[in-house]
Amino acid sequence: MFGRGRKIAPYLFISPFFIGYTIFFLYPVIQSLQLSLYRQVGLTNPPRFIGFDNYVRLVTKDALFIKALTNTTYYALGSILIIVPLALLLALILHSPKLRFREFFRFLYFTPNITAGVVVGIIFGLVFEEQYGLVNNLLLAPLGIDNVRWLREARWVMPAIILLGVWKWTGINAIYFMVGLQNIPPELKEAARVDGATRPQVFWHVTLPLLRPILAFVLTIAIIGSYNLFAEPAILVGLEGGPNNAGMTMTMYLYTRGFRELKMGYASAIGYSLAVIILVLSVIQLFLIRAFRED
Amino acid sequence: MTKRKSLRLGNRDLPFQMVLLAFGIVTFFPLVLVVITSFKSNTQFYHNFWLPELPLHLGNYSSAFRIIWRFIVNSVLYSGSTICLIAVIASVAGYVFARFHFPFKTALFLGFITLIMVPGVLTLAPRFVLVRDLGMVNTPYALISVWVSGGLVLSTWLMRSYFESLPQELFDAAYVDGAAEWQVFIYVSVPLARPMIATVAMTTLISSWNDLIWPLVTITDKDKMPLAMGLMQFSSDFETDWGTLFAGYVISSIPLLCVFAVAMRQFISGLTSGSIKA
């Protein structure tokens, strides 16, 4: 209709996005791919090309890498399985027209997410404190459960970090679901109700399928967030991950190798392995959600 | 008939409300604890871990504020610029990706989105070298440029999903009335997308405000530090003074809480405007 201008215009309008993204995001990403094929210690030493040695060493010889990978996957699975259904439930309740004090509840839930990581790390140090801590004293003691050594016993470190994650992330995910629920025309649900569908049926066959794009978004962000987890566990149990490195996440491992020991090449290889894992998981997840639509 | 039904539903919602309240208490308690501790002296803190105790030590707040205010001002400036840039660029790009058809559209978009999987720390070293070569170390530009480009992917994705979810009839009506594309964008799409723009602004605010690693690498002057980094500095300076430490945490949370209260209202107004139902 507008001839050539019409054809160029879209590219013109996405160009600020494209340029900013290329300089400060894409270029460093490519740069670190190159770096991962080199042995480089420090920021100024000359790098030495070693091919895929960094990657081979990661998979075959580095027990701590495998440990960090296992820990992070444990966190990802644990937190997502709790956070997503819980956030969806909260969003549904918050969305219901009969609810009183809606704004108050929303405000209540979103406060953890806007609390700085440093602050969260320090607070949860007190929450999980063995003798005086909140969980042991106020939640477990009344149930007659003995003090759990949350941050001192390897097997309890990750559950503690998962609980921290649930505390911090459930509210913001409920926002995303709520925005999705806002977009579903109420007529659709009413039509289903008129046709005799029960509430769970309406949820399962009308609401949930229409929430699919938001669900995909929330899951993807949750996977990325899990594998990028850093500030909170680092302050809660220290950069080494506490007892037996039980709280060491992939990002903490990358950070210690790269910015404590300044092994830039090796750290880049860790980063790339991490990126591939996240990518594969996200694709699987998107695929599963698409399969769900065919139902 | 419908009225009676909704009344019945209202009663059934009561247990749900209890669930909400229980979860709310669990969520809020650790934060209440911070407030309680912020009024204590060290002796009071060690004497009684959890409960409030008199007298209140208001002095904690004045000594914390003297240090914290500078970091807050810095963060407001840095995050504010980031949000404005992202809101404009992401709305436009998201709109174009959602409503235009052009060659390589899907390929371009998928290419961008795929890179969202790249963990931020991966690019830390090359990004630092880049920023150093551009002469931006220890300046706000180092933070803003990287935060904008990092946040753009997620924001554009959010904006695109939102614009895609708007019904085609809405746009057709505007086109029939003779509106040009930019008019449709400014007068129809952006007002409708306000809830999503609020969400984008909020996620950008939260992630830039709380970013710790990147300022640690690029900012060295104490009076240029954003809040997240300043809090770390503050925490090590006041490590043994719990009252002042937590008073600082309370002060540092106030700006975000205020912005948040306002953004919530924006959400609600988006909900009730009803223009989406068209």
Side-chain angles (χ1 to χ4, degrees), chain A residues 95 181-193 206, chain B residues 277:
Chain A
H95 186 67
L181 287 172
Q182 259 174 256
N183 281 338
I184 298 175
E187 294 84 27
L188 279 180
K189 281 192 239 175
E190 272 161 34
R193 297 279 296 167
V206 180
Chain B
K277 286 178 202 144

Side-chain angles (χ1 to χ4, degrees), chain A residues 11 106 109-110 132 167 176 228, chain B residues 20 27 50 103 119 203 260 268:
Chain A
Y11 299 104
R106 282 178 184 164
Y109 291 153
F110 306 142
Y132 309 102
W167 181 81
Y176 294 138
N228 281 327
Chain B
L20 276 186
T27 302
W50 301 113
T203 39
F260 200 76
I268 312 296

Side-chain angles (χ1 to χ4, degrees), chain A residues 6-7 9-11 13-14 16-18 20-21 23-29 31-32 35 43-44 86 89-90 93-96 98-119 122-124 126-127 129 132-134 137-139 166-168 170-172 175-176 178-179 182-183 185-187 193 199 213-214 216-217 220-221 224 227-228 230-231 235 251 254-255 259 264 267-268 271-272 274-275 278-279 282 286, chain B residues 5-7 9-10 12-14 16-17 19-21 23-31 33-34 45 49-50 89 92-93 96-97 100-104 108 111-132 134 136 145-146 149-150 152-154 156-158 162 165 181 195-196 199 202-203 206 209-210 212-213 216-217 228 231-232 235 242 245-246 249 252-253 256-257 260-261 264-265 267-268 270-271 276-277:
Chain A
R6 179 89 193 156
K7 274 186 200 142
Y11 299 104
F13 284 121
I14 58 170
F17 169 66
F18 185 75
Y21 177 89
I23 296 176
F24 291 103
F25 201 81
L26 191 60
Y27 169 75
V29 165
Q31 188 83 346
S32 62
L35 203 54
L43 274 169
T44 44
L86 195 57
L89 176 72
L90 288 179
I93 299 176
L94 286 170
H95 186 67
S96 100
K98 285 263 125 193
L99 181 72
R100 272 174 295 176
F101 311 117
R102 188 198 321 269
E103 264 191 86
F104 168 74
F105 281 124
R106 282 178 184 164
F107 194 71
L108 210 62
Y109 291 153
F110 306 142
T111 40
N113 201 258
I114 55 181
T115 310
V118 175
V119 178
I122 295 204
I123 298 175
F124 273 76
L126 298 180
V127 167
E129 213 277 336
Y132 309 102
L134 192 63
N137 268 302
L138 295 187
L139 292 179
V166 170
W167 181 81
K168 176 150 185 171
T170 305
I172 193 85
I175 289 194
Y176 294 138
M178 238 167 52
V179 171
Q182 259 174 256
N183 281 338
E187 294 84 27
R193 297 279 296 167
R199 266 183 130 188
I214 299 285
F217 171 78
T220 308
I221 297 302
I224 296 165
Y227 283 87
N228 281 327
F230 176 78
I235 284 175
T251 309
L254 189 157
Y255 182 83
F259 295 92
M264 294 294 173
S268 296
Y272 259 92
L274 191 54
I278 295 175
L279 183 64
S282 304
L286 288 173
Chain B
K5 192 186 274 175
S6 67
L7 270 178
L9 283 177
R12 241 200 277 165
D13 280 342
L14 194 67
F16 288 130
Q17 215 141 349
V19 172
L20 276 186
L21 194 64
F23 195 76
I25 290 170
V26 170
T27 302
F28 216 57
F29 200 81
L31 297 173
L33 193 69
V34 175
F45 177 71
F49 223 47
W50 301 113
I89 301 176
V92 173
V96 171
F97 275 125
F100 281 56
H101 298 281
F102 52 94
F104 308 116
L108 271 177
F112 290 137
I113 291 310
T114 310
L115 283 178
I116 206 181
M117 317 300 170
V118 177
V121 277
L122 159 61
T123 58
L124 209 56
R127 249 193 293 156
F128 176 72
V129 175
L130 175 71
V131 163
R132 190 188 59 188
L134 293 172
M136 298 198 298
S145 57
V146 164
S149 52
L152 267 182
V153 187
L154 172 62
T156 306
W157 188 6
L158 278 173
Y162 197 84
S165 73
E181 193 67 54
M196 197 42 110
T199 305
M202 279 167 58
T203 39
I206 293 165
W209 193 273
N210 288 338
L212 181 62
I213 299 187
L216 274 178
V217 174
L231 277 176
M232 204 167 185
S235 300
W242 291 94
L245 187 66
F246 279 40
Y249 290 169
S252 73
S253 314
L256 225 51
L257 285 176
F260 200 76
M264 289 310 291
R265 274 187 214 114
F267 270 122
I268 312 296
L271 237 179
I276 298 171
K277 286 178 202 144

Side-chain angles (χ1 to χ4, degrees), chain A:
Chain A
M1 209 189 320
F2 296 91
R4 226 161 112 206
R6 179 89 193 156
K7 274 186 200 142
I8 298 173
Y11 299 104
L12 211 62
F13 284 121
I14 58 170
S15 63
F17 169 66
F18 185 75
I19 292 166
Y21 177 89
T22 307
I23 296 176
F24 291 103
F25 201 81
L26 191 60
Y27 169 75
V29 165
I30 294 167
Q31 188 83 346
S32 62
L33 178 61
Q34 189 198 356
L35 203 54
S36 77
L37 303 177
Y38 285 78
R39 186 186 146 74
Q40 180 169 23
V41 180
L43 274 169
T44 44
N45 295 345
R48 188 162 59 84
F49 183 77
I50 51 166
F52 288 100
D53 276 15
N54 281 334
Y55 291 96
V56 173
R57 231 176 76 204
L58 267 184
V59 181
T60 55
K61 289 187 191 146
D62 194 339
L64 203 51
F65 172 75
I66 303 296
K67 175 109 196 171
L69 178 60
T70 318
N71 287 344
T72 314
T73 309
Y74 180 9
Y75 173 82
L77 277 177
S79 64
I80 290 172
L81 285 178
I82 299 174
I83 291 172
V84 171
L86 195 57
L88 187 56
L89 176 72
L90 288 179
L92 284 169
I93 299 176
L94 286 170
H95 186 67
S96 100
K98 285 263 125 193
L99 181 72
R100 272 174 295 176
F101 311 117
R102 188 198 321 269
E103 264 191 86
F104 168 74
F105 281 124
R106 282 178 184 164
F107 194 71
L108 210 62
Y109 291 153
F110 306 142
T111 40
N113 201 258
I114 55 181
T115 310
V118 175
V119 178
V120 173
I122 295 204
I123 298 175
F124 273 76
L126 298 180
V127 167
F128 288 118
E129 213 277 336
E130 204 182 310
Q131 267 189 299
Y132 309 102
L134 192 63
V135 175
N136 280 350
N137 268 302
L138 295 187
L139 292 179
L140 298 184
L143 298 172
I145 299 171
D146 282 345
N147 280 358
V148 173
R149 309 179 70 214
W150 288 105
L151 304 175
R152 301 199 179 190
E153 205 174 311
R155 67 188 166 127
W156 289 114
V157 169
M158 213 21 105
I161 297 174
I162 289 175
L163 287 177
L164 184 155
V166 170
W167 181 81
K168 176 150 185 171
W169 293 105
T170 305
I172 193 85
N173 284 314
I175 289 194
Y176 294 138
F177 280 126
M178 238 167 52
V179 171
L181 287 172
Q182 259 174 256
N183 281 338
I184 298 175
E187 294 84 27
L188 279 180
K189 281 192 239 175
E190 272 161 34
R193 297 279 296 167
V194 168
D195 287 347
T198 62
R199 266 183 130 188
Q201 279 174 333
V202 172
F203 172 73
W204 197 248
H205 295 287
V206 180
T207 312
L208 207 52
L210 287 169
L211 275 182
R212 227 168 10 88
I214 299 285
L215 188 64
F217 171 78
V218 162
L219 282 176
T220 308
I221 297 302
I223 291 171
I224 296 165
S226 303
Y227 283 87
N228 281 327
L229 188 68
F230 176 78
E232 288 85 356
I235 284 175
L236 191 62
V237 287
L239 270 173
E240 295 300 320
N244 199 18
N245 307 107
M248 165 88 83
T249 67
M250 291 277 276
T251 309
M252 284 157 75
Y253 184 58
L254 189 157
Y255 182 83
T256 47
R257 284 286 182 268
F259 295 92
R260 285 291 164 100
E261 301 163 18
L262 291 175
K263 293 176 179 164
M264 294 294 173
Y266 200 59
S268 296
I270 299 171
Y272 259 92
S273 319
L274 191 54
V276 168
I277 292 167
I278 295 175
L279 183 64
V280 169
L281 287 178
S282 304
V283 169
I284 291 174
Q285 171 267 122
L286 288 173
F287 187 76
L288 285 177
I289 286 186
R290 194 158 291 180
F292 175 68
R293 177 181 57 178
E294 309 296 335
D295 252 353

Side-chain angles (χ1 to χ4, degrees), chain B:
Chain B
M1 176 69 195
T2 37
K3 193 159 191 184
R4 205 192 302 151
K5 192 186 274 175
S6 67
L7 270 178
R8 213 172 54 219
L9 283 177
N11 287 337
R12 241 200 277 165
D13 280 342
L14 194 67
F16 288 130
Q17 215 141 349
M18 301 314 288
V19 172
L20 276 186
L21 194 64
F23 195 76
I25 290 170
V26 170
T27 302
F28 216 57
F29 200 81
L31 297 173
V32 171
L33 193 69
V34 175
V35 177
I36 291 175
T37 309
S38 72
F39 289 108
K40 286 181 181 173
S41 70
N42 257 3
T43 339
Q44 287 171 322
F45 177 71
Y46 288 120
H47 175 244
N48 190 337
F49 223 47
W50 301 113
L51 295 175
E53 232 177 61
L54 288 171
L56 301 180
H57 289 259
L58 294 169
N60 291 343
Y61 276 84
S62 56
S63 36
F65 184 77
R66 263 197 293 272
I67 312 230
I68 291 285
W69 73 269
R70 185 65 205 237
F71 304 137
I72 294 180
V73 170
N74 289 343
S75 267
V76 167
L77 293 175
Y78 304 163
S79 292
S81 324
T82 307
I83 290 167
C84 294
L85 284 167
I86 284 192
V88 173
I89 301 176
S91 311
V92 173
Y95 185 75
V96 171
F97 275 125
R99 315 255 4 138
F100 281 56
H101 298 281
F102 52 94
F104 308 116
K105 182 176 99 161
T106 317
L108 271 177
F109 188 74
L110 283 180
F112 290 137
I113 291 310
T114 310
L115 283 178
I116 206 181
M117 317 300 170
V118 177
V121 277
L122 159 61
T123 58
L124 209 56
R127 249 193 293 156
F128 176 72
V129 175
L130 175 71
V131 163
R132 190 188 59 188
D133 292 347
L134 293 172
M136 298 198 298
V137 168
N138 204 20
T139 68
Y141 306 112
L143 302 178
I144 295 169
S145 57
V146 164
W147 284 344
V148 168
S149 52
L152 267 182
V153 187
L154 172 62
S155 311
T156 306
W157 188 6
L158 278 173
M159 293 311 299
R160 190 194 78 135
S161 334
Y162 197 84
F163 286 131
E164 266 183 349
S165 73
L166 296 177
Q168 181 63 40
E169 297 81 49
L170 210 70
F171 296 93
D172 290 341
Y175 293 136
V176 167
D177 289 345
E181 193 67 54
W182 67 269
Q183 287 171 317
V184 175
F185 175 68
I186 304 253
Y187 297 114
V188 180
S189 310
V190 168
L192 281 176
R194 275 209 321 249
M196 197 42 110
I197 293 176
T199 305
V200 163
M202 279 167 58
T203 39
T204 307
L205 179 65
I206 293 165
S207 61
S208 63
W209 193 273
N210 288 338
D211 185 17
L212 181 62
I213 299 187
W214 184 235
L216 274 178
V217 174
T218 50
I219 302 292
T220 46
D221 285 1
K222 207 171 171 181
D223 59 354
K224 287 182 185 163
M225 286 182 183
L227 186 60
M229 186 186 178
L231 277 176
M232 204 167 185
Q233 176 80 39
F234 176 76
S235 300
S236 57
D237 289 351
F238 287 83
E239 203 171 16
T240 47
D241 187 354
W242 291 94
T244 311
L245 187 66
F246 279 40
Y249 290 169
V250 172
I251 296 170
S252 73
S253 314
I254 290 171
L256 225 51
L257 285 176
C258 292
V259 171
F260 200 76
V262 176
M264 289 310 291
R265 274 187 214 114
Q266 178 69 56
F267 270 122
I268 312 296
S269 74
L271 237 179
T272 48
S273 70
S275 45
I276 298 171
K277 286 178 202 144

